[in-house]
Amino acid sequence: MPPRPRLRLSGVISGKFDFEARAAALFLLPVTVVLVAVAVFPIGYSFYISLFQLKLTRPHRVPFVWLDNYAKILTDELFWSSAWRTFSFTVMSVTAISILAVLIALLLNETFRGRRFLAIILVAPWAIPTVANGLMWKWIYDSSFGALNGALLQLGMIDKYVVWLGDPEKTLPLIANAFVWKEVPLASILILVTMKSIPADLYRAAKVDGANVLQRFIHITLPSLRPGFMLVFIYETMMAIRHFDLFFILTEGGPAQASHVASWHIYVETFRNLSFGTGNALAYVMAIVTFALAYFIIRTLGRRL
Amino acid sequence: MKESTRTRLGCREFLRYSSVAVVAGFLTVGAATTTLAAEESINFNGWSAAVDLVESHITAFEKKTGIEVKYGNLPWAQYRDAMVTKFVGKAPLDVMWVSDAWLPEWAEAGWIQPVDQFKELTKYNSDVDKFCTDSMTYKGQQYGLTYYTDYMGFFYNEEMLKKAGIAKPPETWAEVVEQSLKIKQAGLSEYPLMLAMANESWLIEFLSAMVFSQGGVFTDDAGNAIMQDPKKGAVEALKWVVEAVQRQKIVSPATVETGELAGLKSFAAGNHAFALEPKYRLRMLNDPKQSQVAGKVKQILMPKGPNGSHATVGWMRFYGVSKHALENPERAKNVVKFVEWFGGKAEGEYRFQKFLLTDIGAGFCTRPLFDDPDIRASYAKYAKIDIIAEQQRLARKKDVITPWFGEWNEFNGAMWQSAILDQISPEEALKKSADKWQTLKREQ
């Protein structure tokens, strides 16, 4: 019986892939290694950690608890209330951002003197660092020396200084306002770019057919903005759900849990309580929800693209 | 051909040089280890406070003993997390500043060790206030020596009281209400009492001071929650705050968003007649460069409730010693010397504690220092030392310091705020807080 030829790995690879494919794989290898090290491994490892009752201050007792951390989260009243607050914050923020972005884009889409200057002014909030933005709004909302109270008092709209962030009814809308202010410029640019791509012929034809401004807006502009809206909805929804900075700077989850949103909940659990097991489980839940929402938006808005 | 020769020579050279480097490396490491073993330098970590003072005291220690100290500091806000990470990562830490709030957590984890066996350190206990030693003690063992201490003090603006026709500052919480209403009616201040009730790390100090002075406690001797008990617990104190904010309107409704520093600035701007503040703030409040009410701010004993006393809460920051420090007897000996130099006496006197008070106004535990002429002269510039000493004698350790303190504290702060905002009743808030306490205790 003749000896069987030994199968060598290099032989198999060179037999299956041509030179170009092998060279491409070789060039892709370094970046793949980096991606695995900095993205894939941490994502996998964080899931692994979420299966343990890992509290950094209890280093000698780290039991494997299967999915108990997830069960604990889903039966926690504070988790559901924080999820509801996140939902409210996201809805009010994304709605306001979308409406304002369309209005600004409509304005910037027109030709008038000073349009470029106005565009620069409108984009300025986007360039401000988030932390600086948070500190600025903290000063504006301050109940004893804030600019908002000062302005409203001078305009005669209030007769004495009002407590803003300390009022649980106002806290979330006020933080949403600061968030919208920062996010509107990018959304406006995305909408404007989409608006510019609408063929002028459509408007001319509609005019010929006797459509007024409002009809042209409803029947031509809005449907044509669908790709831009999809981008804005996905991006801003994800930003709003994950947003943390303003909650940290303005209220630290207060007063009385009025701004205790999901991202704050994760922060407290992970970095204040140092409970890495539940913290990672919470982060996974949040990631799944965000992914599901993005998928839903693409399936609904992107369906007819 | 030429190229291959060059390659072979290169390999040989590489091997030769690398062998020399390895040998040299071993020699250097060996020498360094020998030096380290001989000197046993100390790794000391603290937060970024009084850095110059600490450095100069370290320099004096190094000159005196010949022991090298490696000093590192971190901002207070990141200190606990950074230290926990270092402990978990087995960083070589020997001595570190520890807050009383972290003691059970760090002791349970085995990161800091008891110092009872070192008589050079425990001999100072006879000189310090009881709450100080209590604050460094966990499960009957002492875990360090004092760095600095302070307590919540009750201040008033003397000039404002005079303008309102009030001859004597309040002694009870009922009198605080009465006088505040008088000041409010006179139009001198919209919210005469400043309370900083933002949910930050200071909040538990404010709450404990209020609760203790009303005669209440959060927990019993067995560590069970009794804060919800209407007679012995914290209900009376919380009810008082809710009434002051919602009904009497002598405390601003913005109290839930007012942090300690913001409250201090507001009091320093002359907006209030009374304030509950850390005692060391008195120095700043009576400094004309920093305060508009300088020279007018006086301290009195904590007002007391119907069933309470003038008690307040005290806190402690101390020198803790790590497991790493005590593993090697030589290093342990040096560490004890270092801790004594800072927390005890250096060349026969409590030098560092004196420096802390005279330079930055930080308080001390050591009672003999109240008779020190330098200390008396320093305090005389902005306060009455007798009141300070008397109030310190009445200070008590927080009764909620446990391994689950941090987690409960976050929740408890939110519950107090909910009651202050009239979202739930004080009884309900404290019932929830007590339930949380018991749940965390069981989990532990």
Side-chain angles (χ1 to χ4, degrees):
Chain A
M1 195 173 169
R4 284 175 62 187
R6 281 173 62 193
L7 274 174
R8 293 183 64 180
L9 186 63
S10 57
V12 174
I13 291 172
S14 55
K16 260 196 152 176
F17 303 99
D18 61 13
F19 175 77
E20 274 190 18
R22 292 202 305 274
L26 193 69
F27 287 129
L28 285 172
L29 190 66
V31 79
T32 310
V33 169
V34 171
L35 273 177
V36 167
V38 303
V40 179
F41 174 72
I43 289 170
Y45 189 64
S46 67
F47 178 71
Y48 175 70
I49 285 177
S50 76
L51 305 176
F52 288 86
Q53 204 180 71
L54 172 58
K55 196 168 167 68
L56 226 51
T57 50
R58 243 177 8 213
H60 310 303
R61 188 151 51 92
V62 189
F64 180 73
V65 291
W66 292 100
L67 296 172
D68 274 9
N69 285 331
Y70 292 88
K72 193 179 161 191
I73 288 166
L74 297 175
T75 51
D76 181 10
E77 197 185 319
L78 189 56
F79 167 75
W80 288 108
S81 60
S82 66
W84 173 249
R85 274 181 219 109
T86 307
F87 175 75
S88 310
F89 175 78
T90 305
V91 169
M92 64 178 108
S93 302
V94 176
T95 308
I97 288 168
S98 306
I99 293 170
L100 287 170
V102 172
L103 294 176
I104 291 170
L106 282 170
L107 180 69
L108 295 180
N109 201 32
E110 297 299 315
T111 311
F112 57 90
R113 198 178 160 85
R115 187 174 63 92
R116 280 178 188 278
F117 179 71
L118 187 66
I120 292 166
I121 297 288
L122 289 171
V123 170
W126 189 36
I128 294 176
T130 318
V131 173
N133 180 42
L135 291 171
M136 182 186 79
W137 284 101
K138 197 174 175 71
W139 278 69
I140 291 172
Y141 291 149
D142 192 280
S143 56
S144 45
F145 54 79
L148 182 60
N149 269 333
L152 293 177
L153 196 72
Q154 284 185 3
L155 291 169
M157 294 170 81
I158 51 173
D159 54 358
K160 65 174 189 173
Y161 275 19
V162 175
V163 175
W164 297 110
L165 292 171
D167 182 343
E169 300 293 319
K170 300 186 190 106
T171 312
L172 219 48
L174 288 172
I175 300 174
N177 179 57
F179 178 73
V180 168
W181 189 81
K182 175 96 175 75
E183 291 297 319
V184 155
L186 178 66
S188 305
I189 292 168
L190 291 171
I191 298 288
L192 183 62
V193 169
T194 319
M195 211 174 263
K196 292 243 181 245
S197 67
I198 302 171
D201 295 352
L202 287 177
Y203 290 105
R204 279 198 288 270
K207 264 186 189 172
V208 170
D209 290 343
N212 61 25
V213 175
L214 189 65
Q215 285 169 328
R216 291 200 297 273
F217 176 71
I218 291 170
H219 297 290
I220 299 173
T221 312
L222 272 185
S224 307
L225 288 180
R226 193 188 290 267
F229 274 135
M230 193 181 73
L231 276 176
V232 169
F233 282 167
I234 291 174
Y235 177 75
E236 296 301 346
T237 301
M238 283 199 276
M239 291 298 283
I241 289 175
R242 298 186 306 116
H243 195 70
F244 170 75
D245 313 47
L246 284 169
F247 293 98
F248 181 70
I249 295 163
L250 293 179
T251 57
E252 296 206 22
Q257 297 175 334
S259 58
H260 192 109
V261 291
S263 58
W264 180 254
H265 194 50
I266 294 171
Y267 168 74
V268 168
E269 196 59 20
T270 313
F271 296 105
R272 286 200 175 169
N273 299 339
L274 299 172
S275 298
F276 278 40
T278 36
N280 276 294
L282 274 167
Y284 258 91
V285 171
M286 193 168 167
I288 291 166
V289 170
T290 313
F291 179 77
L293 270 171
Y295 181 75
F296 171 76
I297 294 169
I298 292 169
R299 292 286 294 177
T300 49
L301 268 181
R303 192 179 45 189
R304 280 155 46 193
L305 281 178
Chain B
M1 184 69 189
K2 196 180 173 187
E3 220 175 282
S4 92
T5 313
R6 277 174 58 190
T7 310
R8 273 205 308 279
L9 281 174
C11 284
R12 279 180 192 162
E13 276 173 356
F14 172 75
L15 284 172
R16 191 185 307 142
Y17 289 137
S18 58
S19 312
V20 171
V22 167
V23 172
F26 273 120
L27 286 174
T28 314
V29 171
T33 314
T34 314
T35 315
L36 198 67
E39 291 180 2
E40 284 304 341
S41 62
I42 298 167
N43 294 297
F44 167 51
N45 279 264
W47 48 87
S48 317
V51 173
D52 294 344
L53 206 59
V54 172
E55 279 174 346
S56 70
H57 206 55
I58 286 175
T59 308
F61 174 77
E62 287 177 327
K63 269 189 192 161
K64 172 87 180 167
T65 62
I67 302 164
E68 188 197 357
V69 178
K70 289 171 185 163
Y71 169 52
N73 62 73
L74 295 154
W76 165 258
Q78 284 91 49
Y79 186 76
R80 176 188 166 241
D81 298 354
M83 289 301 284
V84 168
T85 313
K86 285 184 179 200
F87 282 127
V88 172
K90 301 199 188 313
L93 304 167
D94 296 314
V95 183
M96 72 288 306
W97 284 345
V98 184
S99 163
D100 52 2
W102 313 323
L103 168 60
E105 196 177 74
W106 292 16
E108 285 285 345
W111 294 329
I112 52 172
Q113 296 292 307
V115 295
D116 297 297
Q117 73 270 35
F118 301 113
K119 300 297 167 217
E120 304 94 312
L121 304 181
T122 53
K123 70 182 179 191
Y124 294 105
N125 288 353
S126 56
D127 271 359
V128 307
D129 283 305
K130 186 180 176 298
F131 88 88
C132 294
T133 316
D134 287 351
S135 300
M136 295 184 286
T137 305
Y138 180 63
K139 291 187 174 172
Q141 290 183 298
Q142 188 175 332
Y143 278 81
L145 208 58
T146 174
Y147 152 45
Y148 103 97
T149 186
D150 227 316
Y151 60 80
M152 276 296 160
F154 195 81
F155 305 152
Y156 71 98
N157 180 330
E158 192 178 38
E159 189 185 68
M160 204 180 275
L161 262 66
K162 274 186 188 162
K163 277 185 186 167
I166 299 164
K168 208 168 142 258
E171 283 189 21
T172 64
W173 285 112
E175 285 175 18
V176 171
V177 175
E178 192 186 305
Q179 295 188 5
S180 294
L181 290 171
K182 209 170 172 184
I183 291 163
K184 197 175 165 76
Q185 279 156 13
L188 295 165
S189 167
E190 192 179 359
Y191 300 112
L193 174 60
M194 199 292 295
L195 288 179
M197 294 277 172
N199 200 357
E200 57 175 16
S201 60
W202 277 111
L203 183 59
I204 190 62
E205 313 290 352
F206 289 116
L207 303 185
S208 298
M210 302 284 299
V211 171
F212 293 167
S213 63
Q214 290 277 5
V217 286
F218 284 96
T219 64
D220 63 13
D221 292 340
N224 289 310
I226 54 164
M227 58 200 82
Q228 75 285 14
D229 187 315
K231 283 181 185 156
K232 293 180 281 184
V235 180
E236 202 62 44
L238 180 51
K239 272 184 174 173
W240 191 93
V241 179
V242 174
E243 285 287 310
V245 176
Q246 297 294 343
R247 258 63 75 185
Q248 291 136 0
K249 301 194 187 301
I250 56 171
V251 173
S252 166
T255 184
V256 291
E257 61 160 332
T258 306
E260 189 274 331
L261 194 59
L264 178 78
K265 285 179 180 170
S266 186
F267 188 65
N271 295 331
H272 311 279
F274 306 108
L276 188 59
E277 278 289 338
K279 184 264 294 166
Y280 70 83
R281 295 295 196 189
L282 202 50
R283 182 180 158 123
M284 173 260 172
L285 287 168
N286 279 324
D287 178 358
K289 287 179 192 159
Q290 301 183 68
S291 164
Q292 291 174 42
V293 290
K296 297 166 193 164
V297 182
K298 309 284 179 216
Q299 182 184 354
I300 44 170
L301 293 179
M302 277 291 290
K304 58 181 180 180
N307 305 310
S309 66
H310 294 298
T312 188
V313 70
W315 58 87
M316 164 61 79
R317 310 287 180 255
F318 60 92
Y319 295 89
V321 174
S322 75
K323 198 177 169 184
H324 174 263
L326 305 185
E327 275 167 359
N328 176 325
E330 186 66 24
R331 195 189 303 129
K333 217 169 104 186
N334 291 347
V335 160
V336 169
K337 275 185 201 166
F338 178 79
V339 172
E340 186 180 9
W341 183 264
F342 272 83
K345 287 182 178 174
E347 296 181 318
E349 60 169 339
Y350 290 107
R351 192 178 292 166
F352 190 66
Q353 296 184 38
K354 272 180 76 171
F355 282 157
L356 277 178
L357 183 93
T358 51
D359 273 32
I360 60 169
F364 48 79
C365 280
T366 318
R367 293 212 70 81
L369 280 178
F370 280 113
D371 299 322
D372 185 287
D374 295 337
I375 296 284
R376 294 190 78 85
S378 180
Y379 265 138
K381 289 176 195 162
Y382 59 90
K384 285 187 175 162
I385 192 166
D386 297 335
I387 289 280
I388 287 175
E390 195 182 345
Q391 184 67 85
Q392 182 157 318
R393 200 174 46 77
L394 298 168
R396 282 161 52 186
K397 172 193 173 178
K398 290 183 285 293
D399 58 353
V400 288
I401 301 301
T402 52
W404 58 91
F405 164 69
E407 214 165 329
W408 169 81
N409 192 33
E410 189 84 26
F411 182 82
N412 178 60
M415 288 304 103
W416 276 69
Q417 288 193 335
S418 297
I420 292 168
L421 292 165
D422 239 1
Q423 293 177 325
I424 52 175
S425 69
E427 290 84 356
E428 197 186 342
L430 288 164
K431 167 84 174 52
K432 284 186 174 183
S433 196
D435 288 347
K436 180 79 174 175
W437 177 275
Q438 291 302 124
T439 306
L440 291 169
K441 190 172 184 239
R442 267 196 306 276
E443 281 176 7
Q444 195 67 25

